[in-house]
Amino acid sequence: QQQVKQSPQSLIVQKGGISIINCAYENTAFDYFPWYQQFPGKGPALLIAIRPDVSEKKEGRFTISFNKSAKQFSLHIMDSQPGDSATYFCAASYGTGANNLFFGTGTRLTVIP
Amino acid sequence: DAMVIQNPRYQVTQFGKPVTLSCSQTLNHNVMYWYQQKSSQAPKLLFHYYDKDFNNEADTPDNFQSRRPNTSFCFLDIRSPGLGDAAMYLCATRPVRWERGIRTDTQYFGPGTRLTVL
């Protein structure tokens, strides 16, 4: 059972446009929601993360919007650049044991010049 | 500077021939994870160590074993690799600490080892 659902599977955006990736979860025990960026042949790297006590977090061109009541969160990439072309994974974890991450299925983003 | 190091970056083995992948960290983190990632899929957790305590995921095949001789190193042993075990294997670490009352949950991933099984 997929604990975190992610959409779309792939996304093509023009340079300068806004990229939006959505995730939804069911487990209300989740209290940490990171986004990871992965380039081909590389390990995932933390991009930005949020906890459910805030509805939005912004770091540079990257913003997470979080809707606790709807159990949804999304990543917005403003002014998308070709260098942003990568696979993005949302994830969730909760605070017991080793805080295992439950990953979404990933979104392959392509930003065309 | 690399914080989570995986060796080798590329490993080719033959069907059924045991292989060991290694991970080392300079972060002194308590928790180390091993993930398997197949093409166009999310990383799948195989097991993790919380200090010396080993935790196996329920659906991790017995073919996969792990060792953590000290804080810095962790090994993934695949006893009899099958064609279906060809994948990227990712190591990750996480500290167990609180900063300003907030638990640190960030996992730091290594670059991965690409395993090919012939």
Side-chain angles (χ1 to χ4, degrees), chain A residues 14-39:
Chain A
Q14 290 272 3
K15 178 182 175 182
I18 302 174
S19 304
I20 302 174
I21 305 170
N22 300 300
C23 286
Y25 64 96
E26 286 297 323
N27 190 342
T28 55
F30 287 141
D31 64 354
Y32 174 71
F33 302 89
W35 285 90
Y36 280 84
Q37 179 188 56
Q38 187 176 27
F39 293 103

PDB file of all heavy atoms in Angstrom, chain A residues 14-39:
ATOM      1  N   GLN A  14       8.090  24.980 -19.471  1.00  0.00           N
ATOM      2  CA  GLN A  14       8.959  25.921 -20.177  1.00  0.00           C
ATOM      3  C   GLN A  14       9.846  26.660 -19.175  1.00  0.00           C
ATOM      4  O   GLN A  14       9.439  26.921 -18.027  1.00  0.00           O
ATOM      5  CB  GLN A  14       8.115  26.960 -20.928  1.00  0.00           C
ATOM      6  CG  GLN A  14       7.355  26.426 -22.110  1.00  0.00           C
ATOM      7  CD  GLN A  14       8.173  26.462 -23.395  1.00  0.00           C
ATOM      8  OE1 GLN A  14       9.330  26.834 -23.387  1.00  0.00           O
ATOM      9  NE2 GLN A  14       7.549  26.071 -24.495  1.00  0.00           N
ATOM     10  N   LYS A  15      11.033  27.003 -19.633  1.00  0.00           N
ATOM     11  CA  LYS A  15      11.936  27.807 -18.799  1.00  0.00           C
ATOM     12  C   LYS A  15      11.211  29.074 -18.343  1.00  0.00           C
ATOM     13  O   LYS A  15      10.566  29.751 -19.138  1.00  0.00           O
ATOM     14  CB  LYS A  15      13.184  28.180 -19.598  1.00  0.00           C
ATOM     15  CG  LYS A  15      14.164  29.063 -18.850  1.00  0.00           C
ATOM     16  CD  LYS A  15      15.354  29.423 -19.727  1.00  0.00           C
ATOM     17  CE  LYS A  15      16.281  30.402 -19.009  1.00  0.00           C
ATOM     18  NZ  LYS A  15      17.420  30.812 -19.863  1.00  0.00           N
ATOM     19  N   GLY A  16      11.339  29.359 -17.049  1.00  0.00           N
ATOM     20  CA  GLY A  16      10.674  30.525 -16.487  1.00  0.00           C
ATOM     21  C   GLY A  16       9.291  30.249 -15.934  1.00  0.00           C
ATOM     22  O   GLY A  16       8.715  31.090 -15.229  1.00  0.00           O
ATOM     23  N   GLY A  17       8.760  29.093 -16.238  1.00  0.00           N
ATOM     24  CA  GLY A  17       7.424  28.735 -15.777  1.00  0.00           C
ATOM     25  C   GLY A  17       7.430  28.190 -14.357  1.00  0.00           C
ATOM     26  O   GLY A  17       8.467  28.080 -13.706  1.00  0.00           O
ATOM     27  N   ILE A  18       6.247  27.866 -13.869  1.00  0.00           N
ATOM     28  CA  ILE A  18       6.095  27.314 -12.524  1.00  0.00           C
ATOM     29  C   ILE A  18       5.848  25.804 -12.629  1.00  0.00           C
ATOM     30  O   ILE A  18       4.955  25.367 -13.356  1.00  0.00           O
ATOM     31  CB  ILE A  18       4.925  27.975 -11.787  1.00  0.00           C
ATOM     32  CG1 ILE A  18       5.127  29.488 -11.710  1.00  0.00           C
ATOM     33  CG2 ILE A  18       4.783  27.390 -10.372  1.00  0.00           C
ATOM     34  CD1 ILE A  18       3.941  30.239 -11.134  1.00  0.00           C
ATOM     35  N   SER A  19       6.630  25.043 -11.879  1.00  0.00           N
ATOM     36  CA  SER A  19       6.443  23.593 -11.812  1.00  0.00           C
ATOM     37  C   SER A  19       5.717  23.277 -10.506  1.00  0.00           C
ATOM     38  O   SER A  19       6.114  23.770  -9.448  1.00  0.00           O
ATOM     39  CB  SER A  19       7.794  22.872 -11.847  1.00  0.00           C
ATOM     40  OG  SER A  19       8.541  23.238 -12.988  1.00  0.00           O
ATOM     41  N   ILE A  20       4.690  22.456 -10.603  1.00  0.00           N
ATOM     42  CA  ILE A  20       3.922  22.096  -9.408  1.00  0.00           C
ATOM     43  C   ILE A  20       3.793  20.581  -9.335  1.00  0.00           C
ATOM     44  O   ILE A  20       3.334  19.942 -10.290  1.00  0.00           O
ATOM     45  CB  ILE A  20       2.521  22.744  -9.427  1.00  0.00           C
ATOM     46  CG1 ILE A  20       2.635  24.270  -9.512  1.00  0.00           C
ATOM     47  CG2 ILE A  20       1.740  22.339  -8.162  1.00  0.00           C
ATOM     48  CD1 ILE A  20       1.300  24.982  -9.673  1.00  0.00           C
ATOM     49  N   ILE A  21       4.186  20.046  -8.208  1.00  0.00           N
ATOM     50  CA  ILE A  21       4.103  18.603  -7.975  1.00  0.00           C
ATOM     51  C   ILE A  21       3.305  18.394  -6.695  1.00  0.00           C
ATOM     52  O   ILE A  21       3.532  19.081  -5.699  1.00  0.00           O
ATOM     53  CB  ILE A  21       5.496  17.973  -7.836  1.00  0.00           C
ATOM     54  CG1 ILE A  21       6.367  18.306  -9.062  1.00  0.00           C
ATOM     55  CG2 ILE A  21       5.384  16.452  -7.668  1.00  0.00           C
ATOM     56  CD1 ILE A  21       7.822  17.926  -8.912  1.00  0.00           C
ATOM     57  N   ASN A  22       2.390  17.455  -6.732  1.00  0.00           N
ATOM     58  CA  ASN A  22       1.465  17.259  -5.619  1.00  0.00           C
ATOM     59  C   ASN A  22       1.648  15.904  -4.943  1.00  0.00           C
ATOM     60  O   ASN A  22       1.952  14.914  -5.609  1.00  0.00           O
ATOM     61  CB  ASN A  22       0.028  17.363  -6.117  1.00  0.00           C
ATOM     62  CG  ASN A  22      -0.265  18.713  -6.734  1.00  0.00           C
ATOM     63  OD1 ASN A  22      -0.156  19.744  -6.080  1.00  0.00           O
ATOM     64  ND2 ASN A  22      -0.593  18.716  -8.009  1.00  0.00           N
ATOM     65  N   CYS A  23       1.433  15.890  -3.654  1.00  0.00           N
ATOM     66  CA  CYS A  23       1.487  14.639  -2.894  1.00  0.00           C
ATOM     67  C   CYS A  23       0.353  14.592  -1.885  1.00  0.00           C
ATOM     68  O   CYS A  23      -0.096  15.630  -1.392  1.00  0.00           O
ATOM     69  CB  CYS A  23       2.830  14.482  -2.187  1.00  0.00           C
ATOM     70  SG  CYS A  23       4.154  14.046  -3.322  1.00  0.00           S
ATOM     71  N   ALA A  24      -0.091  13.391  -1.597  1.00  0.00           N
ATOM     72  CA  ALA A  24      -1.154  13.186  -0.625  1.00  0.00           C
ATOM     73  C   ALA A  24      -0.784  12.003   0.265  1.00  0.00           C
ATOM     74  O   ALA A  24      -0.100  11.081  -0.175  1.00  0.00           O
ATOM     75  CB  ALA A  24      -2.478  12.922  -1.331  1.00  0.00           C
ATOM     76  N   TYR A  25      -1.227  12.052   1.494  1.00  0.00           N
ATOM     77  CA  TYR A  25      -0.912  10.984   2.446  1.00  0.00           C
ATOM     78  C   TYR A  25      -2.159  10.662   3.253  1.00  0.00           C
ATOM     79  O   TYR A  25      -3.115  11.438   3.299  1.00  0.00           O
ATOM     80  CB  TYR A  25       0.240  11.411   3.360  1.00  0.00           C
ATOM     81  CG  TYR A  25      -0.085  12.587   4.256  1.00  0.00           C
ATOM     82  CD1 TYR A  25      -0.509  12.392   5.568  1.00  0.00           C
ATOM     83  CD2 TYR A  25       0.031  13.890   3.787  1.00  0.00           C
ATOM     84  CE1 TYR A  25      -0.811  13.480   6.391  1.00  0.00           C
ATOM     85  CE2 TYR A  25      -0.276  14.974   4.592  1.00  0.00           C
ATOM     86  CZ  TYR A  25      -0.697  14.761   5.888  1.00  0.00           C
ATOM     87  OH  TYR A  25      -1.008  15.840   6.687  1.00  0.00           O
ATOM     88  N   GLU A  26      -2.132   9.493   3.903  1.00  0.00           N
ATOM     89  CA  GLU A  26      -3.258   9.067   4.721  1.00  0.00           C
ATOM     90  C   GLU A  26      -2.927   9.038   6.215  1.00  0.00           C
ATOM     91  O   GLU A  26      -3.783   9.301   7.053  1.00  0.00           O
ATOM     92  CB  GLU A  26      -3.724   7.678   4.283  1.00  0.00           C
ATOM     93  CG  GLU A  26      -4.476   7.676   2.960  1.00  0.00           C
ATOM     94  CD  GLU A  26      -5.760   8.486   3.037  1.00  0.00           C
ATOM     95  OE1 GLU A  26      -6.425   8.460   4.092  1.00  0.00           O
ATOM     96  OE2 GLU A  26      -6.103   9.170   2.035  1.00  0.00           O
ATOM     97  N   ASN A  27      -1.697   8.705   6.527  1.00  0.00           N
ATOM     98  CA  ASN A  27      -1.321   8.478   7.920  1.00  0.00           C
ATOM     99  C   ASN A  27      -1.153   9.813   8.660  1.00  0.00           C
ATOM    100  O   ASN A  27      -0.215  10.564   8.414  1.00  0.00           O
ATOM    101  CB  ASN A  27      -0.011   7.678   7.962  1.00  0.00           C
ATOM    102  CG  ASN A  27       0.324   7.197   9.359  1.00  0.00           C
ATOM    103  OD1 ASN A  27      -0.202   7.690  10.349  1.00  0.00           O
ATOM    104  ND2 ASN A  27       1.197   6.209   9.433  1.00  0.00           N
ATOM    105  N   THR A  28      -2.059  10.096   9.567  1.00  0.00           N
ATOM    106  CA  THR A  28      -2.009  11.376  10.281  1.00  0.00           C
ATOM    107  C   THR A  28      -0.876  11.433  11.297  1.00  0.00           C
ATOM    108  O   THR A  28      -0.635  12.485  11.891  1.00  0.00           O
ATOM    109  CB  THR A  28      -3.345  11.645  10.986  1.00  0.00           C
ATOM    110  OG1 THR A  28      -3.649  10.530  11.844  1.00  0.00           O
ATOM    111  CG2 THR A  28      -4.464  11.821   9.983  1.00  0.00           C
ATOM    112  N   ALA A  29      -0.181  10.337  11.495  1.00  0.00           N
ATOM    113  CA  ALA A  29       0.978  10.338  12.391  1.00  0.00           C
ATOM    114  C   ALA A  29       2.212  10.957  11.723  1.00  0.00           C
ATOM    115  O   ALA A  29       3.172  11.322  12.402  1.00  0.00           O
ATOM    116  CB  ALA A  29       1.303   8.921  12.848  1.00  0.00           C
ATOM    117  N   PHE A  30       2.184  11.095  10.421  1.00  0.00           N
ATOM    118  CA  PHE A  30       3.322  11.716   9.738  1.00  0.00           C
ATOM    119  C   PHE A  30       3.502  13.142  10.242  1.00  0.00           C
ATOM    120  O   PHE A  30       2.545  13.903  10.347  1.00  0.00           O
ATOM    121  CB  PHE A  30       3.111  11.750   8.226  1.00  0.00           C
ATOM    122  CG  PHE A  30       3.239  10.419   7.550  1.00  0.00           C
ATOM    123  CD1 PHE A  30       2.380  10.083   6.506  1.00  0.00           C
ATOM    124  CD2 PHE A  30       4.210   9.511   7.921  1.00  0.00           C
ATOM    125  CE1 PHE A  30       2.488   8.863   5.854  1.00  0.00           C
ATOM    126  CE2 PHE A  30       4.332   8.288   7.281  1.00  0.00           C
ATOM    127  CZ  PHE A  30       3.461   7.963   6.250  1.00  0.00           C
ATOM    128  N   ASP A  31       4.749  13.501  10.533  1.00  0.00           N
ATOM    129  CA  ASP A  31       4.989  14.856  11.021  1.00  0.00           C
ATOM    130  C   ASP A  31       6.215  15.506  10.387  1.00  0.00           C
ATOM    131  O   ASP A  31       6.719  16.516  10.883  1.00  0.00           O
ATOM    132  CB  ASP A  31       5.100  14.863  12.552  1.00  0.00           C
ATOM    133  CG  ASP A  31       6.298  14.070  13.057  1.00  0.00           C
ATOM    134  OD1 ASP A  31       6.990  13.418  12.241  1.00  0.00           O
ATOM    135  OD2 ASP A  31       6.541  14.098  14.273  1.00  0.00           O
ATOM    136  N   TYR A  32       6.693  14.924   9.316  1.00  0.00           N
ATOM    137  CA  TYR A  32       7.846  15.496   8.622  1.00  0.00           C
ATOM    138  C   TYR A  32       7.687  15.172   7.145  1.00  0.00           C
ATOM    139  O   TYR A  32       7.470  14.006   6.783  1.00  0.00           O
ATOM    140  CB  TYR A  32       9.134  14.896   9.185  1.00  0.00           C
ATOM    141  CG  TYR A  32      10.393  15.303   8.460  1.00  0.00           C
ATOM    142  CD1 TYR A  32      10.894  16.600   8.559  1.00  0.00           C
ATOM    143  CD2 TYR A  32      11.099  14.389   7.688  1.00  0.00           C
ATOM    144  CE1 TYR A  32      12.057  16.970   7.914  1.00  0.00           C
ATOM    145  CE2 TYR A  32      12.267  14.746   7.040  1.00  0.00           C
ATOM    146  CZ  TYR A  32      12.735  16.040   7.150  1.00  0.00           C
ATOM    147  OH  TYR A  32      13.890  16.402   6.507  1.00  0.00           O
ATOM    148  N   PHE A  33       7.768  16.197   6.310  1.00  0.00           N
ATOM    149  CA  PHE A  33       7.471  16.040   4.890  1.00  0.00           C
ATOM    150  C   PHE A  33       8.588  16.692   4.071  1.00  0.00           C
ATOM    151  O   PHE A  33       8.573  17.892   3.820  1.00  0.00           O
ATOM    152  CB  PHE A  33       6.120  16.683   4.555  1.00  0.00           C
ATOM    153  CG  PHE A  33       4.983  16.114   5.352  1.00  0.00           C
ATOM    154  CD1 PHE A  33       4.642  16.647   6.591  1.00  0.00           C
ATOM    155  CD2 PHE A  33       4.260  15.029   4.881  1.00  0.00           C
ATOM    156  CE1 PHE A  33       3.599  16.125   7.344  1.00  0.00           C
ATOM    157  CE2 PHE A  33       3.213  14.499   5.617  1.00  0.00           C
ATOM    158  CZ  PHE A  33       2.886  15.043   6.847  1.00  0.00           C
ATOM    159  N   PRO A  34       9.556  15.887   3.636  1.00  0.00           N
ATOM    160  CA  PRO A  34      10.638  16.434   2.824  1.00  0.00           C
ATOM    161  C   PRO A  34      10.403  16.230   1.335  1.00  0.00           C
ATOM    162  O   PRO A  34       9.627  15.348   0.921  1.00  0.00           O
ATOM    163  CB  PRO A  34      11.847  15.600   3.286  1.00  0.00           C
ATOM    164  CG  PRO A  34      11.254  14.265   3.609  1.00  0.00           C
ATOM    165  CD  PRO A  34       9.842  14.531   4.101  1.00  0.00           C
ATOM    166  N   TRP A  35      11.073  17.021   0.555  1.00  0.00           N
ATOM    167  CA  TRP A  35      11.172  16.808  -0.885  1.00  0.00           C
ATOM    168  C   TRP A  35      12.634  16.550  -1.220  1.00  0.00           C
ATOM    169  O   TRP A  35      13.522  17.277  -0.772  1.00  0.00           O
ATOM    170  CB  TRP A  35      10.672  18.035  -1.654  1.00  0.00           C
ATOM    171  CG  TRP A  35       9.187  18.170  -1.653  1.00  0.00           C
ATOM    172  CD1 TRP A  35       8.416  18.830  -0.743  1.00  0.00           C
ATOM    173  CD2 TRP A  35       8.280  17.634  -2.625  1.00  0.00           C
ATOM    174  NE1 TRP A  35       7.085  18.733  -1.071  1.00  0.00           N
ATOM    175  CE2 TRP A  35       6.980  18.008  -2.229  1.00  0.00           C
ATOM    176  CE3 TRP A  35       8.434  16.875  -3.786  1.00  0.00           C
ATOM    177  CZ2 TRP A  35       5.839  17.656  -2.945  1.00  0.00           C
ATOM    178  CZ3 TRP A  35       7.310  16.529  -4.506  1.00  0.00           C
ATOM    179  CH2 TRP A  35       6.022  16.919  -4.093  1.00  0.00           C
ATOM    180  N   TYR A  36      12.841  15.514  -2.024  1.00  0.00           N
ATOM    181  CA  TYR A  36      14.183  15.178  -2.465  1.00  0.00           C
ATOM    182  C   TYR A  36      14.275  15.377  -3.975  1.00  0.00           C
ATOM    183  O   TYR A  36      13.334  15.104  -4.719  1.00  0.00           O
ATOM    184  CB  TYR A  36      14.537  13.728  -2.117  1.00  0.00           C
ATOM    185  CG  TYR A  36      14.963  13.542  -0.671  1.00  0.00           C
ATOM    186  CD1 TYR A  36      14.020  13.368   0.334  1.00  0.00           C
ATOM    187  CD2 TYR A  36      16.307  13.561  -0.322  1.00  0.00           C
ATOM    188  CE1 TYR A  36      14.416  13.209   1.656  1.00  0.00           C
ATOM    189  CE2 TYR A  36      16.715  13.392   1.000  1.00  0.00           C
ATOM    190  CZ  TYR A  36      15.747  13.221   1.982  1.00  0.00           C
ATOM    191  OH  TYR A  36      16.145  13.061   3.282  1.00  0.00           O
ATOM    192  N   GLN A  37      15.449  15.819  -4.392  1.00  0.00           N
ATOM    193  CA  GLN A  37      15.748  16.020  -5.816  1.00  0.00           C
ATOM    194  C   GLN A  37      16.816  15.000  -6.197  1.00  0.00           C
ATOM    195  O   GLN A  37      17.817  14.844  -5.482  1.00  0.00           O
ATOM    196  CB  GLN A  37      16.282  17.441  -6.029  1.00  0.00           C
ATOM    197  CG  GLN A  37      16.659  17.794  -7.448  1.00  0.00           C
ATOM    198  CD  GLN A  37      17.365  19.152  -7.495  1.00  0.00           C
ATOM    199  OE1 GLN A  37      18.376  19.363  -6.832  1.00  0.00           O
ATOM    200  NE2 GLN A  37      16.829  20.079  -8.274  1.00  0.00           N
ATOM    201  N   GLN A  38      16.602  14.318  -7.297  1.00  0.00           N
ATOM    202  CA  GLN A  38      17.568  13.310  -7.728  1.00  0.00           C
ATOM    203  C   GLN A  38      17.898  13.480  -9.197  1.00  0.00           C
ATOM    204  O   GLN A  38      17.015  13.443 -10.057  1.00  0.00           O
ATOM    205  CB  GLN A  38      17.041  11.892  -7.460  1.00  0.00           C
ATOM    206  CG  GLN A  38      18.066  10.799  -7.741  1.00  0.00           C
ATOM    207  CD  GLN A  38      17.568   9.417  -7.385  1.00  0.00           C
ATOM    208  OE1 GLN A  38      16.374   9.139  -7.396  1.00  0.00           O
ATOM    209  NE2 GLN A  38      18.495   8.518  -7.053  1.00  0.00           N
ATOM    210  N   PHE A  39      19.191  13.650  -9.467  1.00  0.00           N
ATOM    211  CA  PHE A  39      19.670  13.693 -10.843  1.00  0.00           C
ATOM    212  C   PHE A  39      20.075  12.279 -11.255  1.00  0.00           C
ATOM    213  O   PHE A  39      20.424  11.456 -10.409  1.00  0.00           O
ATOM    214  CB  PHE A  39      20.849  14.657 -10.961  1.00  0.00           C
ATOM    215  CG  PHE A  39      20.466  16.094 -10.730  1.00  0.00           C
ATOM    216  CD1 PHE A  39      20.758  16.728  -9.527  1.00  0.00           C
ATOM    217  CD2 PHE A  39      19.797  16.811 -11.717  1.00  0.00           C
ATOM    218  CE1 PHE A  39      20.395  18.041  -9.313  1.00  0.00           C
ATOM    219  CE2 PHE A  39      19.430  18.136 -11.508  1.00  0.00           C
ATOM    220  CZ  PHE A  39      19.726  18.751 -10.300  1.00  0.00           C
TER     221      PHE A  39
END
